[in-house]
DNA sequence: CTGAAAGCGCTTACAG
DNA sequence: CTGAAAGCGCTTACAG
């Protein structure tokens, strides 16, 4: 018939309790990117805790596949009723997934995806498109025959696969939209960003290529280039990077960074938990892929992208 | 003490039922802007109906203050427990608010704001900033000494006050960032957009100002200019407008419209209802102003701004 | 005005 | 295996 169970009465009667585990990279500091998904997780928790949901937050080191593996084992010592994870290390993630499957524990992915497995949902950005968007913004805002420097901070704290996809989308954009190859793209790999000796590397690139009118940083460390430009009093360069972390925000506000391409990490965290809740407690269907929007943040609209906290 | 009432048990026991009223402009068609807030309202309803919430949707004609007044009276014949309204006609809205106050009925504003009254919350965009953002996008993407045509569809279906604020922000941006007044701004008022005779008006403006490199449409009717440009095979003009309605989306996808500045109307609808719910049923505090983000939508990221439906 | 009892729509442990 | 009873944490109508 048309029977709709009363979920309130149901959870009240069955004093059942659920425990979800989140499994994210450890933030480097308290202004780092990976604090943001946790803000969304907390918000979701506040809304659903009355349904008897608890949440345990686990972390791994972004530079150590082994720490992913170790913490995964720790999680399985006290198996939760659902897992939200950022599957950075695909081999270790697959091992973990196998254990979850064996224990019938549902899981959702956040930030990165693993395609061929029985996840409840993937929540994150389309990195390829975000790279293409960066290409578009440069193409619109610098002269036809200018050069663009693509800076790739290699030892950074992001998932490498994302960066590859972003660069791919970026280069592909120019292949398709700059068919007579007026613009030239110069790539620079910086392996040790914390050490400011990379300033000299950039100096040299500028000397060789005086026509550089734009710099694209493929991850959230665009503030390091902002520091470089300000220190050397270089103006008239379009600077585009990623992610609304605190260090980047001041450079957007003072105009050194022109565009920041962002992905709503708080919303990703929030949606990852509520998706697990929908599936596990409410027994409702959850979309298998939930792409978050690719936001263009500037000096003029940055005020309205500070998400809930 | 630290007593936290169990809201589930509470709503289960008190078979109390709540009725909220929404009071929005009547959409001109089923692809118009004002359908979108209702999508968010429906989504919110699905989540909170188990708490005994019902929602009645009322509408007024955007061109008739009288229809606002009449429907407001109808609403008060069967007073709801909360109201979400778009206070387009400030005089009539104030009269309605007075009645709500007398009956102790809480209300939230969506889309437009009235400042000096006891609303639970205002949910909407900062229109001034969205105008400034349009200015920035032109300033970045057209040559220094070009002209920009500002098209103002006067008899359009939006709240006039928004348009005024947007234009203000737009002009102010150039006042501040184009201090040597290289760029010239030309304003064109079009009073009867449905009649394509306005094409000749634009023809004339183009003849007089051959250096026009950008067109800014202050509302969602940018597709009409897109139609004009395509019909006349005019290329190389930056075209920027507002709102992710169906007619505009195809022009973004084919590149005729370069940027669409948007305001997440579904999210506004959703948040307006959940804010009323928070206040009325959960007795929680609600932020007095909830500005939604000012999104920049392009061919490259439009795919990820289709909100839930 | 106060306080004990009934009941909201379910689940679950238990008697048969 | 089946079905009636107790109870989840509250609210409300009602007896005193």
């Amino acid at each position: 018939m048309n029977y709709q169970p009363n979920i309130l009465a149901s959870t009240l009667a069955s004093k059942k309790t659920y425990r979800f585990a989140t499994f994210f990279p450890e933030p480097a500091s308290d202004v780092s990117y990976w604090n943001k998904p946790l803000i969304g997780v907390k918000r979701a928790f506040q809304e659903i805790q009355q349904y008897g949901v608890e949440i345990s937050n686990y972390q791994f080191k972004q530079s150590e596949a082994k720490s992913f593996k170790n913490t995964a084992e720790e999680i399985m010592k006290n198996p939760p009723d659902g897992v939200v994870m950022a599957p950075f290390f695909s081999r270790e993630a697959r091992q973990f997934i196998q254990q979850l499957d064996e224990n019938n524990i549902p899981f959702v992915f956040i930030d990165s995806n693993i395609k061929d497995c029985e996840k409840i949902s993937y929540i994150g950005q389309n990195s390829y498109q975000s790279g293409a968007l960066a290409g578009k913004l440069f193409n619109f805002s610098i002269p036809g025959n200018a050069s663009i420097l693509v800076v790739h901070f290699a030892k950074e704290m992001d998932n490498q696969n994302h960066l590859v996809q972003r660069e791919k989308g970026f280069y592909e954009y120019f292949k398709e939209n700059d068919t007579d190859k007026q613009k030239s793209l110069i790539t620079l790999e910086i392996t040790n960003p914390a050490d400011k000796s990379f300033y000299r590397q950039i100096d040299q690139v500028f000397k060789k290529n005086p026509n550089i009118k734009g710099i694209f940083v493929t991850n959230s460390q665009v503030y390091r280039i902002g520091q470089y430009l300000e220190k050397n009093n270089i103006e008239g360069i379009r600077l585009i990077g990623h992610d609304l972390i605190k260090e980047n925000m001041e450079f957007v506000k003072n105009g050194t960074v022109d565009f920041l391409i962002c992905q709503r990490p708080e919303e990703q965290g929030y949606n990852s938990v509520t998706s697990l809740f929908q599936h596990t407690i409410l027994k409702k269907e959850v979309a298998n892929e939930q792409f978050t929007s690719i936001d263009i943040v500037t000096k003029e609209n940055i005020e309205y992208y500070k998400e809930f906290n």
Side-chain angles (χ1 to χ4, degrees), chain A residues 82-300:
Chain A
V83 173
V84 181
M85 84 171 109
F88 269 32
F89 305 102
S90 80
R91 172 198 288 227
E92 286 76 9
R94 279 176 196 283
Q95 287 176 2
F96 184 34
I97 288 165
Q98 205 184 325
Q99 287 189 64
L100 294 173
D101 280 339
E102 282 165 13
N103 290 271
N104 263 315
I105 300 171
F107 55 92
V108 317
F109 291 140
I110 189 172
D111 194 77
S112 327
N113 196 5
I114 291 180
K115 292 221 162 169
D116 50 341
C117 68
E118 290 286 305
K119 60 184 171 287
I120 300 306
S121 191
Y122 162 64
I123 292 141
Q125 203 183 37
N126 182 325
S127 308
Y128 180 92
Q129 275 306 114
S130 92
L133 182 59
K136 148 86 153 234
L137 292 173
F138 278 114
N139 207 26
F140 266 56
S141 65
I142 65 175
N145 62 347
S147 304
I148 302 169
L149 174 61
V150 180
V151 176
H152 183 192
F153 285 104
K155 277 215 180 158
E156 58 94 39
M157 298 307 206
D158 268 345
N159 181 9
Q160 296 303 318
N161 186 39
H162 270 194
L163 301 196
V164 174
Q165 288 301 315
R166 272 181 194 162
E167 282 185 63
K168 223 173 168 179
F170 186 77
Y171 285 108
E172 207 61 37
Y173 180 87
F174 286 101
K175 218 181 261 175
E176 282 176 24
N177 292 278
D178 183 36
T179 39
D180 43 353
K181 297 205 175 185
Q182 285 193 65
K183 290 196 176 58
S184 60
L185 306 178
I186 303 149
T187 309
L188 179 62
E189 189 108 356
I190 293 172
T191 42
N192 198 353
D195 179 0
K196 286 190 179 171
S197 69
F198 75 79
Y199 281 20
R200 260 172 290 156
Q201 285 181 263
I202 305 184
D203 285 342
Q204 286 180 0
V205 174
F206 266 109
K207 229 172 249 171
K208 265 196 198 165
N209 308 274
N211 201 25
I212 290 178
K213 297 292 183 208
I215 302 181
F216 176 43
V217 182
T218 57
N219 68 13
S220 65
Q221 297 194 47
V222 60
Y223 65 91
R224 296 191 193 277
I225 300 296
Q227 289 163 350
Y228 168 85
L229 291 178
E230 288 190 358
K231 192 172 177 193
N232 292 282
N233 282 315
I234 302 177
E235 290 188 358
I237 300 252
R238 290 275 162 274
L239 180 53
I240 301 182
H242 283 273
D243 295 332
L244 208 55
I245 61 174
K246 201 181 171 192
E247 289 103 322
N248 290 340
M249 286 174 69
E250 48 181 297
F251 285 107
V252 170
K253 284 179 185 165
N254 74 14
T256 300
V257 168
D258 295 295
F259 297 104
L260 219 45
I261 297 175
C262 305
Q263 60 171 316
R264 306 206 163 207
E266 297 92 341
E267 191 177 306
Q268 289 177 16
Y270 178 86
N271 287 347
S272 65
V273 171
T274 52
S275 292
L276 221 42
F277 173 71
Q278 294 277 332
H279 173 89
T280 309
I281 287 96
L282 302 187
K283 313 284 182 206
K284 285 189 182 166
E285 281 223 16
V286 173
N288 192 247
E289 280 187 326
Q290 300 180 55
F291 287 110
T292 47
S293 53
I294 307 177
D295 296 321
I296 304 172
V297 175
T298 74
K299 192 179 176 179
E300 286 72 25

Side-chain angles (χ1 to χ4, degrees), chain A residues 36 39-41 43 266-267 270 306-309:
Chain A
K36 292 173 178 289
I39 292 173
V41 167
R43 163 81 155 252
E266 297 92 341
E267 191 177 306
Y270 178 86
K306 287 175 192 152
E307 284 194 77
F308 45 78
N309 43 26

